[in-house]
Amino acid sequence: MSILKIARMGHPVLRLSAAPVDDPGAPEIQRLIADIGETLDDAGGIGLAATQVYAPWRVVIFEVPDDRLDDGEADGEGGAPVPRTVLINPVIEPLSDDVAVGWEGCLSVPGMRGAVPRFTRIRYSGVNESGEPISREASGFHARVVQHECDHLDGILYPMRMTDMSTLHFVSEVRHNPGLREPLEDEIEDHGEGEEALDEDAA
Ligand code: NI
């Protein structure tokens, strides 16, 4: 396995529409899955898409750890922890028109955070690393993470989903000026793909 370099916003690979995976068991796909997992471990994030490591295949890996459940949506719909999941050729179907705004960060947009509207309830499907079908309903933070990661496979970064660009900010500035974001903090819980977004030393 290898720790891979993570592309940052501006690199054209992040704008690609990734190709479907025909054979999840193919050695190059299995190697990619292992490398994405190791890269995610190293970066300390909660999700990573293949395009972020310069591999334009429809593969994402994510998890919702127990200690991030309280990062639930503004409506407090936290849900249950989700173990690390490899999702290949994902398809997302919104289960309602309800949209909530929450904070997101991204390992490809290091040090920043913004408020992003996402569907609050979705069904997603695909196959796992063994080619077995996955079909889950998700809400709250879980649904947000999946939408964020799958957007990467269509060349979409979270700032492209934002409707209020005034909320885009460097985490370190807010940390140094906590009053700056207080009005939003009351309404929008914290969501970061990358733990580094919450780590002042790394930001
Ligand atoms: Ni991201």
Side-chain angles (χ1 to χ4, degrees), residues 148-169:
H148 176 117
E149 296 310 328
C150 292
D151 262 357
H152 277 299
L153 305 182
D154 293 318
I156 298 170
L157 298 170
Y158 79 79
M160 298 160 67
R161 294 288 194 193
M162 292 176 63
T163 51
D164 180 356
M165 291 304 291
S166 74
T167 66
L168 187 64
H169 63 271

Side-chain angles (χ1 to χ4, degrees), residues 9-74:
M9 184 167 63
H11 193 287
V13 74
L14 294 171
R15 301 303 316 283
L16 290 179
S17 189
V21 173
D22 290 334
D23 177 10
E28 61 269 28
I29 297 297
Q30 290 290 309
R31 190 179 317 121
L32 174 62
I33 290 167
D35 288 349
I36 294 174
E38 191 175 11
T39 303
L40 189 54
D41 287 337
D42 179 67
I46 59 170
L48 196 59
T51 47
Q52 291 180 275
V53 293
Y54 307 85
W57 299 102
R58 301 192 83 80
V59 177
V60 299
I61 299 182
F62 59 89
E63 62 192 76
V64 181
D66 189 51
D67 63 359
R68 301 299 298 275
L69 280 179
D70 290 338
D71 295 357
E73 300 298 307

Side-chain angles (χ1 to χ4, degrees), residues 1-199:
M1 297 199 297
S2 305
I3 295 170
L4 304 175
K5 184 180 178 186
I6 297 175
R8 292 182 301 165
M9 184 167 63
H11 193 287
V13 74
L14 294 171
R15 301 303 316 283
L16 290 179
S17 189
V21 173
D22 290 334
D23 177 10
E28 61 269 28
I29 297 297
Q30 290 290 309
R31 190 179 317 121
L32 174 62
I33 290 167
D35 288 349
I36 294 174
E38 191 175 11
T39 303
L40 189 54
D41 287 337
D42 179 67
I46 59 170
L48 196 59
T51 47
Q52 291 180 275
V53 293
Y54 307 85
W57 299 102
R58 301 192 83 80
V59 177
V60 299
I61 299 182
F62 59 89
E63 62 192 76
V64 181
D66 189 51
D67 63 359
R68 301 299 298 275
L69 280 179
D70 290 338
D71 295 357
E73 300 298 307
D75 64 8
E77 196 174 359
V82 180
R84 181 165 291 194
T85 298
V86 177
L87 184 62
I88 299 171
N89 299 337
V91 175
I92 293 178
E93 172 194 1
L95 293 177
S96 84
D97 293 331
D98 291 345
V99 167
V101 176
W103 292 118
E104 295 186 20
C106 180
L107 292 168
S108 293
V109 192
M112 301 199 80
R113 214 168 53 151
V116 186
R118 299 285 186 187
F119 290 113
T120 57
R121 291 182 61 235
I122 63 170
R123 175 181 293 114
Y124 63 90
S125 56
V127 299
N128 69 11
E129 65 274 28
S130 304
E132 297 160 347
I134 291 176
S135 180
R136 294 178 185 162
E137 291 188 10
S139 61
F141 188 49
H142 181 189
R144 175 173 299 278
V145 169
V146 173
Q147 289 171 85
H148 176 117
E149 296 310 328
C150 292
D151 262 357
H152 277 299
L153 305 182
D154 293 318
I156 298 170
L157 298 170
Y158 79 79
M160 298 160 67
R161 294 288 194 193
M162 292 176 63
T163 51
D164 180 356
M165 291 304 291
S166 74
T167 66
L168 187 64
H169 63 271
F170 287 100
V171 174
S172 57
E173 290 290 350
V174 173
R175 196 178 300 279
H176 298 144
N177 301 279
L180 204 61
R181 295 246 66 87
E182 271 177 6
L184 266 178
E185 300 283 7
D186 289 339
E187 301 168 21
I188 305 175
E189 299 302 321
D190 187 17
H191 307 284
E193 176 184 89
E195 295 293 341
E196 100 287 349
L198 305 173
D199 181 351

